[in-house]
Amino acid sequence: MTDATNAPARSDPRTRRNVAVLVGAQAILGSQMPMLFVVGGLVGNTLTPNPCLATLPISMIVFGSMTTAPWISPLMQRQGRRNGFIIGALAGALGAAVAGYGLYIGSFLMLLLGSYISGIYMSAQGFYRFAAADGASEQFRPKAISYVMAGGLMSAIIGPQLNKVMFDFSVIPFLGSYVAIVVLNLVGLFLFFLLDLPNAAALAAAKTNDAVRSKLELLKTPRVAVAIICGMVSYALMNLVMTSTPLAVMGCGFEADSANDIVSAHMLAMFVPSFFTGHLINRFGVEKIVATGLVILGLAGAVALTGVTLANFFIALILLGLGWNFGFIGATTMLASSHTVSERGVVQGLNDSIVFGCVTLASLASGGLMNCSGGSAVEGWNAVNIAMIPFLTLAGGALIWLALRPKSAR
């Protein structure tokens, strides 16, 4: 398989500068994601006429991301990453404004529209990790991806704590959170002018030198297929459980602040390991790190099924975050080394469309399982965690299948 960096590697110092900027973007703009995922379910539960649809606003965010990836990835291929990232930030501001207006007038449909627009930001944010890998040497690539993901550490602190402050900012509960998200996007977008990324003309020139395989041919490539499956399962299961967490916590008699603290701990677990995940990948191999992530995700579900105390919620969500980190960063690294420069836009757009398509289904299923699969919050929470089993089996089986194939056939 031709590696994305078979062409002479560009300077890693340049990559380090871009990584620093992208870490800042993850910290500032990325803070909106934990805010939206907590507020979306709670506001949805308030406005929807059907409790089974309480998490639909979160599903619309992910659906927006899924439908954005097929056009924003080629746009970045043609016009550069910066333009795509700025579009994402502007969409984040507009989406929060529309959703906030929906809350103000009590319109569930307007809330859903705003959530969908916010999904454009979510899609653009997903390409930060690929931008970090652009031009990086093969050895530095997993570290670059990990460091950018580590920027989420600050967003994991800023977002939930800002939510706490802004919950009561307005006489309308949760409206202040949407106002804060608008400001985060408008301020944070200026970071992208500091990026020094490969220009679109250079990428277009590189594209003429290599053949680009069709989407079907790419999906038939074992390493590409397994990377997509493992990324899909890691992200979808994390979303499945996290989306239901605020509803489960409050349904079991705890306060909204406890839900924020649990989500904050979860997001810290998602991003703190990023400081060393890249080193672990270089030392042990990407397949072993992905496999470890899947095992930890299974442990998260097991802990959640043993009880509904605050300790259970905290431990389960911390394990969930750690498992996502190993599984998703590992899958991203595997994918980044499985295609040529010319195939970058096609592969990355295809990957994120599939991943976030499954995440959309997971978030939809989350609300239904949580609110409509039993007579109590405990039964709903158990159903959410039991639903992890078949998907973990799928990803684990895919990894084993890849490992058993000859290296030349991967």
Side-chain angles (χ1 to χ4, degrees):
M1 173 58 57
T2 304
D3 188 88
T5 55
N6 272 352
R10 299 178 197 123
S11 170
D12 276 341
R14 181 188 189 190
T15 302
R16 292 177 190 276
R17 168 188 169 146
N18 292 329
V19 165
V21 174
L22 292 167
V23 166
Q26 283 276 35
I28 296 173
L29 289 117
S31 298
Q32 67 190 285
M33 296 316 300
M35 297 176 72
L36 287 170
F37 273 74
V38 171
V39 172
L42 297 177
V43 173
N45 204 38
T46 301
L47 296 183
T48 180
N50 185 342
C52 298
L53 302 178
T55 61
L56 189 55
I58 299 173
S59 302
M60 290 301 294
I61 295 173
V62 185
F63 181 66
S65 180
M66 178 194 75
T67 54
T68 298
W71 62 261
I72 203 167
S73 182
L75 181 145
M76 291 183 188
Q77 182 90 9
R78 295 190 306 270
Q79 300 183 15
R81 300 280 193 191
R82 180 184 292 112
N83 289 339
F85 294 157
I86 291 173
I87 289 171
L90 291 173
L94 177 61
V98 172
Y101 179 67
L103 172 59
Y104 179 76
I105 64 174
S107 170
F108 187 60
L109 290 178
M110 190 66 69
L111 173 66
L112 295 181
L113 175 61
S115 298
Y116 177 84
I117 297 171
S118 293
I120 300 174
Y121 166 77
M122 184 179 182
S123 181
Q125 182 189 354
F127 289 94
Y128 294 176
R129 69 194 195 277
F130 291 122
D134 289 349
S137 66
E138 184 175 358
Q139 183 177 12
F140 186 62
R141 186 191 303 128
K143 296 179 183 178
I145 294 170
S146 290
Y147 293 153
V148 170
M149 300 301 288
L153 171 62
M154 290 305 298
S155 68
I157 297 171
I158 295 170
Q161 300 308 312
L162 188 57
N163 248 353
K164 283 185 177 181
V165 174
M166 301 305 292
F167 271 175
D168 300 320
F169 179 79
S170 166
V171 293
I172 301 176
F174 311 123
L175 182 60
S177 294
Y178 288 112
V179 173
I181 291 169
V182 172
V183 174
L184 284 173
N185 280 287
L186 296 180
V187 171
L189 69 84
F190 289 99
L191 283 169
F192 300 126
F193 292 100
L194 302 176
L195 289 171
D196 181 20
L197 293 166
N199 61 52
L203 293 173
K207 185 175 180 179
T208 63
N209 297 327
D210 295 313
V212 178
R213 288 169 291 174
S214 69
K215 292 180 180 180
L216 182 58
E217 288 174 319
L218 288 166
L219 288 174
K220 288 181 178 179
T221 303
R223 195 169 176 82
V224 172
V226 173
I228 291 175
I229 289 171
C230 291
M232 171 189 75
V233 169
S234 298
Y235 214 127
L237 293 186
M238 183 277 291
N239 186 272
L240 174 76
V241 178
M242 187 182 73
T243 298
S244 287
T245 296
L247 297 175
V249 171
M250 296 184 69
C252 291
F254 302 106
E255 299 296 325
D257 281 353
S258 295
N260 267 308
D261 289 338
I262 290 167
V263 170
S264 184
H266 163 70
M267 295 200 68
L268 286 171
M270 287 175 66
F271 297 114
V272 168
S274 297
F275 290 107
F276 55 81
T277 305
H279 296 278
L280 293 175
I281 290 172
N282 281 336
R283 180 171 180 181
F284 297 106
V286 67
E287 291 85 358
K288 290 181 181 178
I289 298 304
V290 173
T292 300
L294 296 176
V295 170
I296 296 172
L297 286 171
L299 290 174
V303 170
L305 288 169
T306 62
V308 289
T309 67
L310 277 180
N312 283 94
F313 282 117
F314 270 107
I315 295 171
L317 269 293
I318 287 171
L319 289 172
L320 187 75
L322 179 59
W324 173 87
N325 182 281
F326 283 7
F328 191 64
I329 291 179
T332 298
T333 302
M334 187 185 298
L335 187 73
S337 62
S338 303
H339 60 80
T340 65
V341 172
S342 302
E343 293 169 335
R344 190 191 73 178
V346 175
V347 173
Q348 294 172 5
L350 177 64
N351 175 75
D352 279 19
S353 294
I354 294 173
V355 168
F356 289 110
C358 292
V359 174
T360 300
L361 294 176
S363 59
L364 282 169
S366 184
L369 289 169
M370 184 66 224
N371 285 338
C372 302
S373 62
S376 69
V378 175
E379 292 175 341
W381 180 239
N382 287 343
V384 167
N385 286 280
I386 291 171
M388 297 174 71
I389 296 173
F391 301 99
L392 289 171
T393 303
L394 169 66
L399 268 180
I400 293 171
W401 172 74
L402 182 67
L404 293 176
R405 293 179 66 83
K407 287 187 178 182
S408 60
R410 298 181 187 179

